[in-house]
Each structure stands twice: as C-alpha cells, then as structure tokens.
Amino acid sequence: MTVLVIAEHDNTNCKDATAKTVAAALKISPDVHVLVAGHNCAKAAEGAAKIEGVAKVRVADAALYGHFVAEPVAALITSLAGSYQAVLAPATVNGKNVLPRVAASLDVAQISEILSVEAPDTFTRPIYAGNAIETVKSAEKVKVITVRTTAFKAPGTNGSATIENVAAAADPGISEFVSEEVAKSERPELTSAKVVVSGGRGMQSGDNFHMLDKVADILGAAVGASRAAVDAGFVPNDYQVGQTGKVVAPELYIAVGISGAIQHLAGMKDSKVIVAINKDEEAPIFQVADYGLVADLFKAVPELEAELKAQGIGRK
C-alpha cells in the first residue's frame, strides 16, 4: 500500500502541516509519497524530501499550480490517485478546498479531519463540534482523507527522499487566478504558533484588539479571535479560531473576552494550557480553562502586559 500526501507550501517552504500529515500517513503505510504542486517550487520539494519517512517526492512545477487554484490542482491529484490506496492532505484552507473535489471525481466518500489512525482502513474524527469522536472504517478503493494536524507530531527532518518530476495535468479551464491580498505580519502563523492570544466579543471593538497585540508582541504570540469578534468586524476573517475557522493547539492559549461557545472550543480545546479572562464567572470557557480570571478585561489585560514587562518575560 502506497499513500500520497499533498504538500502544504508557499513555493519556497514546506509547511509544518505537511510533516504532520506525513506522520498520519505513516500510520497507514510505511510507503509514503509527497506531491508538491506549485511554480518554481524546487525549494519546497527539497524541504519535503527531508521529512523522515517520505520515500519519494513528486513535483508538478507549472505556472498553473503557482497559486494552488483548486480545480487545476484537483485535476492533477485525480490523475495520480489511481496509483495510491490513500490520498491525504492537511485540513487547511487548501486541503478543505481541493480534496472534496478529488473525492467527487473519484466517486468516493471523503473522511474529514481525522484525529488518529486505528488501522489502515479505520480512523477517528470529531463530530458535533468535537463533543463526540466517531470511528470510521472505510472500504473505498482510494481513501481521500484530510488530517487535523494538531493531533499528530511532526517527524524529524533528516530524511533523504528521491525527487521526481511529474507532468502537469490538463487544465479544466473553469477557474483562474486573478489576484490575492496577503496579510503580512511579523507574528508567527496562527496554526503553528506556540502561544496564541485570542479576543472575543467582549473586546467591544477592533481598536481594543491593540491591547492583545501588545501582549502578543511580548510573548511572541499569534493573535486570534472568536467568530463573534470576526462577524462583528473587529478583526479579519483569518484571525478566526473555531469549528468554522482555524484549529490550533498551542502550548499556551489565552482567551480574552471569549464566552466559549462549543464552536470556538472545537478549534482550541487541545491547547496544552488554556487561560481565560472573562467578567462572567458562568462563561463556558472556564469549564475547559486550566487557569481562569474573573475580571474586567480592560483592567486585567493592561495589568498583564505591565507584569510581563516587569518580569522580563518574552520580547520587550
């Protein structure tokens, strides 16, 4: 049995989500290939080849794949899938966009956001916003799977996989890249940050999120938000943590002014240490928090910032 992993990359760096997806794939089969589809993506392919456990890296380098537009990439994966018993991708925006199209083309049922591999054909996945874990056994000829990468530990980077080129597939011609606006930040990426500071509706406005920015800068943290804060227009959509946003599992998650709806908890409850600041002592967030502070965030957050500086913690 050979398994294909779809690499998450930016044409230069192979992202941590790829390595964690490889970890899941290795539990299905020891024979793992990685597909790097992009444009001028040789460095990303080299990074994928260094992931321990990867036997081969297949590179589709063409302008068609430079921005990972779903339809052309899905056509490429579908053209290769017949050689594999399973196709895996991280449950990122790209993975969630591309793999359902692959599953539909192959006429198989996708298995989404697996948390573990119990056997080569048996997996666990969350349902009901993470309140229950479902065990799924699949008899599909090709298993199409997205992986919740926070549940897997990345292998080492001492691998030496072979790299081979593959031809581009025919362009379906039904979509094309027009433009993109990429938010630039010196902070770590939300899904890979070791510390995340998130704000909710209790922040009251986007301007008040600057309080969290100051704490995040000291801790070298990423800044996130609940869906309520995003829907209220306080911060952009790419800040959203939760069932319909990004799933994170940092070493430290600080939730400020977040009530803790199950949809938000589904995206962060696997964090190693959870700290909650909320003036409502009945807020559900306190049920999952390791440390809770019942206080007015507009008083508590500046005090936290001052204390971190006084203790010489993190970046100043």
Side-chain angles (χ1 to χ4, degrees):
M1 176 183 286
T2 308
V3 177
L4 181 66
V5 169
I6 312 305
E8 182 85 9
H9 64 91
D10 60 5
N11 290 312
T12 302
N13 300 302
C14 194
K15 297 187 178 181
D16 186 57
T18 304
K20 291 181 177 180
T21 305
V22 168
L26 288 169
K27 293 180 180 294
I28 299 173
S29 168
D31 191 8
V32 174
H33 295 179
V34 174
L35 173 65
V36 177
H39 186 44
N40 297 327
C41 55
K43 288 186 177 180
E46 291 170 4
K50 292 179 181 178
I51 299 172
E52 292 179 11
V54 175
K56 182 186 292 185
V57 175
R58 308 188 74 182
V59 184
D61 193 329
L64 182 63
Y65 307 127
H67 297 280
F68 219 81
V69 176
E71 287 79 9
V73 174
L76 171 66
I77 297 169
T78 302
S79 72
L80 300 173
S83 302
Y84 297 95
Q85 281 68 52
V87 177
L88 281 70
T92 57
V93 171
N94 285 331
K96 292 177 180 180
N97 195 16
V98 172
L99 247 59
R101 302 169 195 273
V102 174
S105 296
L106 296 173
D107 194 25
V108 300
Q110 177 176 302
I111 306 169
S112 300
E113 301 205 31
I114 65 167
L115 298 173
S116 69
V117 178
E118 303 299 308
D121 63 350
T122 308
F123 315 91
T124 64
R125 61 181 297 272
I127 57 174
Y128 303 127
N131 286 309
I133 304 300
E134 178 182 56
T135 300
V136 179
K137 185 171 183 177
S138 172
E140 299 287 10
K141 56 184 179 181
V142 180
K143 296 166 184 60
V144 177
I145 301 167
T146 60
V147 177
R148 182 168 287 193
T149 55
T150 55
F152 295 88
K153 183 178 180 181
T157 56
N158 293 316
S160 56
T162 59
I163 299 176
E164 71 171 25
N165 294 321
V166 296
D171 183 358
I174 56 176
S175 61
E176 64 179 12
F177 174 78
V178 176
S179 66
E180 66 181 354
E181 294 181 13
V182 181
K184 294 183 179 180
S185 174
E186 293 182 359
R187 296 195 185 96
E189 186 180 4
L190 186 57
T191 54
S192 60
K194 293 184 178 181
V195 181
V196 174
V197 182
S198 282
R201 188 179 314 189
M203 298 303 297
Q204 297 184 5
S205 74
D207 289 340
N208 290 332
F209 263 79
H210 293 310
M211 290 193 303
L212 303 188
D213 292 338
K214 293 176 181 178
V215 173
D217 287 341
I218 294 171
L219 297 174
V223 176
S226 67
R227 178 170 179 172
V230 171
D231 286 350
F234 296 169
V235 290
N237 182 263
D238 59 343
Y239 279 49
Q240 186 176 325
V241 173
Q243 184 180 16
T244 55
K246 296 177 180 177
V247 176
V248 301
E251 294 178 7
L252 173 62
Y253 188 89
I254 303 176
V256 182
I258 295 175
S259 64
I262 59 171
Q263 291 85 355
H264 184 76
L265 299 183
M268 47 64 71
K269 66 181 181 180
D270 290 332
S271 304
K272 305 300 182 293
V273 177
I274 299 172
V275 176
I277 301 173
N278 199 299
K279 67 180 181 181
D280 178 9
E281 64 181 18
E282 301 296 328
I285 191 70
F286 289 123
Q287 296 177 15
V288 299
D290 298 285
Y291 301 93
L293 176 62
V294 178
D296 182 349
L297 69 88
F298 295 104
K299 183 174 183 288
V301 173
E303 289 177 350
L304 173 61
E305 178 193 350
E307 186 62 25
L308 289 172
K309 290 180 177 178
Q311 296 295 328
I313 295 174
R315 302 183 311 189
K316 295 183 179 180

